[in-house]
Amino acid sequence: MNVILNIIWLVLSGIWLAIGYAVAGVVLCITIIGIPWGIASFRIASYALWPFGRTTEPNPQAGVPSMIGNVIWLVLAGIWLAIGHVVSGIALCLTIIGIPLGIANFKMVPISLMPLGYRIVPVDGR
């Protein structure tokens, strides 16, 4: 079922989300200061391509620098990305077929708010 949902997600919204996050990652990596956020953007782009069957979890090795980076990200981009995911999720939930896709959008809100200090892992724990 995850494969079917991922394919529908990819066609309807995943490819555009992934492209957006990847472009943001390239732009951030061009500036030397933005490299940590660029890498986080690439990580979110891979998650946006294939979200079903994967989840996020806190990275135990993340420390104070990740927290400071998340605060900067939250102020500059995170709040707007989260609003976009919520609005898109609500719009997708208006149709019966779009409900799982809307839930996937809601699932991406926490990592779009604070991407540093989190990692993307399979749901089954592999």
Side-chain angles (χ1 to χ4, degrees), residues 90-111:
I90 290 170
L92 284 166
C93 284
L94 293 177
T95 65
I96 292 175
I97 294 174
I99 290 173
L101 306 178
I103 292 170
N105 250 318
F106 296 139
K107 192 171 84 168
M108 293 184 72
V109 169
I111 197 165

Side-chain angles (χ1 to χ4, degrees), residues 40-76:
S41 256
F42 291 133
R43 192 171 49 244
I44 298 171
S46 75
Y47 188 46
L49 273 177
W50 213 252
F52 294 97
R54 300 193 305 171
T55 190
T56 59
E57 70 177 18
N59 187 352
Q61 284 113 11
V64 174
S66 291
M67 184 189 68
I68 293 169
N70 278 334
V71 170
I72 294 168
W73 173 272
L74 179 67
V75 171
L76 297 177

Side-chain angles (χ1 to χ4, degrees), residues 19-31 34-35 37-39 41-42:
I19 289 171
Y21 278 113
V23 168
V26 168
V27 170
L28 286 166
C29 284
I30 288 173
T31 68
I35 289 175
W37 296 286
I39 292 169
S41 256
F42 291 133

